[in-house]
Amino acid sequence: MAYLSNENDRSSSSQSNVSPIGDAARVHDSGTKLWVEPLGRILEQDYPVPEPLIEGLLHSGTQTILYGRSGSGKSYITQKLMLHLAMGMDFGYYQVPKACKILYVDGEMLPSSLQSRYLKMKPKLSNMDDWVKALQNLHYCSRFIQPEFKKMNIETGEFEYKQYPEMMLRSLDEKENMQQLMNTIEVNKYDVVVMDNIFTLFAFDDFSSPTEWLIHVQPFLNWCRQNNITVWIVDHARKTASVGGNSALFGSMVKAVTLDLLIQVESEKKEIDYDGDSDIEFGFKWHFEKARHLTALEQEEVEFEIKNGDILVVENPYKKQMAAAKKHFEAGMPLRKIQETLLNEINYNVSHTKINRWAKKEGWVRKTE
């Protein structure tokens, strides 16, 4: 009884010190609070559902890191994918349902290198409207492109070019610079934002530190997710291999937890001289370390090759058959007709029963249903 009495005494003493405005204010000495949402209201809301931007790879509102060692082809494949996404044009067996507006935040490549690379990647099109669409939809924000405007000098009566260095891309670990980027994204209503790359866009003391990422990068990613903006990040791997011989991502734990896709690029070539990239011919592949929204087949390794400055998907017969079958199935084509079409289009005889099994396993849905 004495023990209970002491507890009661301490309780009474404690209660006498409680602030009349509540424990929350007592703990934080602030009048602010967090917003909470009842489950019932959450179930009633219409929230954005991830929609495929690149079938079998990229979805709206998701966040991806593509990483690898220097010269492995990270920026090459990113630029190629974004070019096709800006055009709304399929790339290999990756289908692109519609064109998207993209901001490519680049802290590495010189403008002359960008010109050379994209002209070599330009698809051989019968309809130039697609290429024009890419030129309009793919925007660059670069450390090396100086903002300048043509302005009339009233005194001389001649036009002069005035530069605005305050509008240039600067280190994004500074809060005001990151806010400037977010304002740019919001004003221009971009669907996709590419960050290439973490090492050139941020001045971290320690790129392996989860604290640097959580303080400087994660708030930006949270804002993008809230606004259904897709983010694609290019990052570097350590030079030392991790267990199993794979490259190790800097600060991998916090990134793996917070992101939707984690893709590793591997290449036999360690370094690439990009000054003469028209002569580069090498292959690389990527594999998925984490993949939300992707089926087991979509998570299989993908191989690429660079020839004459352009990048191609190395043909995977199984994926090629399935991608073509899916396209026709979702368009409402009958199974036997799909079988016939595949034989004519890609010279593969795939039975209608196999196509039906694929549809059930992968969850294909006909557009007419």
Side-chain angles (χ1 to χ4, degrees):
M1 292 298 293
Y3 175 78
L4 293 175
S5 176
N6 289 340
E7 284 295 300
N8 290 335
D9 290 342
R10 282 196 292 270
S11 177
S12 299
S13 175
S14 161
Q15 290 175 6
S16 65
N17 294 326
V18 172
S19 167
I21 59 175
D23 285 346
R26 201 162 50 83
V27 173
H28 298 291
D29 193 24
S30 168
T32 63
K33 62 180 180 180
L34 295 175
W35 178 261
V36 296
E37 194 82 38
L39 176 59
R41 182 169 172 79
I42 292 173
L43 297 179
E44 293 172 354
Q45 298 300 311
D46 292 326
Y47 295 108
V49 176
E51 299 289 341
L53 303 181
I54 302 177
E55 295 275 1
L57 180 63
L58 194 62
H59 291 74
S60 61
T62 59
Q63 299 172 353
T64 299
I65 275 191
L66 180 76
Y67 80 98
R69 296 190 181 97
S70 178
S72 59
K74 306 180 300 295
S75 294
Y76 237 120
I77 184 58
T78 296
Q79 290 162 348
K80 182 69 171 180
L81 284 170
M82 295 306 142
L83 180 63
H84 279 255
L85 184 55
M87 289 188 290
M89 180 179 179
D90 296 349
F91 172 49
Y93 42 73
Y94 284 122
Q95 297 174 17
V96 181
K98 64 177 182 179
C100 291
K101 192 174 182 181
I102 303 163
L103 176 63
Y104 201 116
V105 185
D106 184 10
E108 184 172 350
M109 291 194 70
L110 296 174
S112 58
S113 298
L114 289 174
Q115 288 177 329
S116 173
R117 184 170 294 187
Y118 276 110
L119 288 174
K120 289 165 188 169
M121 289 184 183
K122 180 180 177 181
K124 297 177 176 61
L125 303 172
S126 57
N127 184 356
M128 288 302 295
D129 290 344
D130 290 331
W131 177 246
V132 172
K133 196 182 298 181
L135 301 182
Q136 295 171 343
N137 284 336
L138 182 52
H139 297 183
Y140 259 79
C141 180
S142 169
R143 282 183 179 274
F144 309 109
I145 299 178
Q146 176 72 40
E148 59 181 20
F149 301 90
K150 197 174 182 180
K151 191 174 182 179
M152 171 70 77
N153 186 322
I154 299 177
E155 295 180 357
T156 64
E158 296 180 354
F159 283 101
E160 298 177 352
Y161 285 96
K162 182 175 177 59
Q163 296 184 340
Y164 292 84
E166 66 274 10
M167 295 180 68
M168 284 193 72
L169 177 64
R170 291 163 290 178
S171 183
L172 295 177
D173 50 288
E174 297 291 338
K175 187 176 180 180
E176 60 271 20
N177 298 342
M178 177 60 83
Q179 186 61 58
Q180 191 177 27
L181 173 63
M182 293 164 67
N183 293 344
T184 303
I185 295 169
E186 187 172 48
V187 167
N188 291 283
K189 295 179 169 50
Y190 291 109
D191 304 306
V192 180
V193 176
V194 177
M195 310 283 280
D196 188 0
N197 60 67
I198 294 298
F199 275 71
T200 56
L201 295 176
F202 295 87
F204 293 159
D205 293 328
D206 181 3
F207 284 91
S208 295
S209 168
T211 304
E212 298 273 24
W213 181 272
L214 291 172
I215 291 176
H216 299 294
V217 183
Q218 195 60 49
F220 168 72
L221 295 179
N222 292 343
W223 176 80
C224 288
R225 202 181 285 277
Q226 290 165 3
N227 289 276
N228 201 36
I229 299 168
T230 305
V231 181
W232 181 283
I233 299 172
V234 178
D235 204 355
H236 282 281
R238 300 175 184 274
K239 291 184 178 180
T240 55
S242 62
V243 177
N246 295 326
S247 299
L249 177 65
F250 283 87
S252 57
M253 180 59 72
V254 66
K255 296 174 182 177
V257 169
T258 58
L259 298 167
D260 301 290
L261 278 178
L262 194 58
I263 309 174
Q264 183 186 24
V265 177
E266 292 182 336
S267 170
E268 293 181 1
K269 193 173 182 67
K270 303 299 182 184
E271 299 290 341
I272 294 175
D273 178 12
Y274 282 115
D275 292 334
D277 61 359
S278 61
D279 298 323
I280 294 174
E281 290 193 7
F282 76 104
F284 63 93
K285 63 182 178 181
W286 71 23
H287 72 264
F288 297 89
E289 296 184 0
K290 179 180 180 181
R292 290 179 187 155
H293 311 297
L294 301 189
T295 66
L297 177 67
E298 292 167 346
Q299 295 179 42
E300 291 183 358
E301 288 186 348
V302 182
E303 293 188 45
F304 304 91
E305 60 182 6
I306 296 177
K307 289 186 177 181
N308 300 319
D310 197 7
I311 187 166
L312 307 169
V313 179
V314 176
E315 183 174 303
N316 178 323
Y318 185 67
K319 278 194 171 185
K320 186 175 182 180
Q321 295 168 38
M322 184 172 282
K326 180 184 179 184
K327 180 178 180 179
H328 296 307
F329 182 91
E330 292 185 337
M333 185 179 290
L335 294 174
R336 291 185 183 275
K337 182 63 176 176
I338 296 175
Q339 178 181 352
E340 179 184 334
T341 303
L342 294 186
L343 186 59
N344 293 330
E345 287 183 348
I346 59 177
N347 201 29
Y348 284 104
N349 187 13
V350 185
S351 70
H352 65 277
T353 55
K354 187 174 185 178
I355 295 170
N356 193 41
R357 287 198 302 271
W358 285 348
K360 290 180 178 179
K361 181 180 178 181
E362 299 292 323
W364 300 348
V365 179
R366 292 188 182 277
K367 294 291 192 288
T368 54
E369 292 181 357

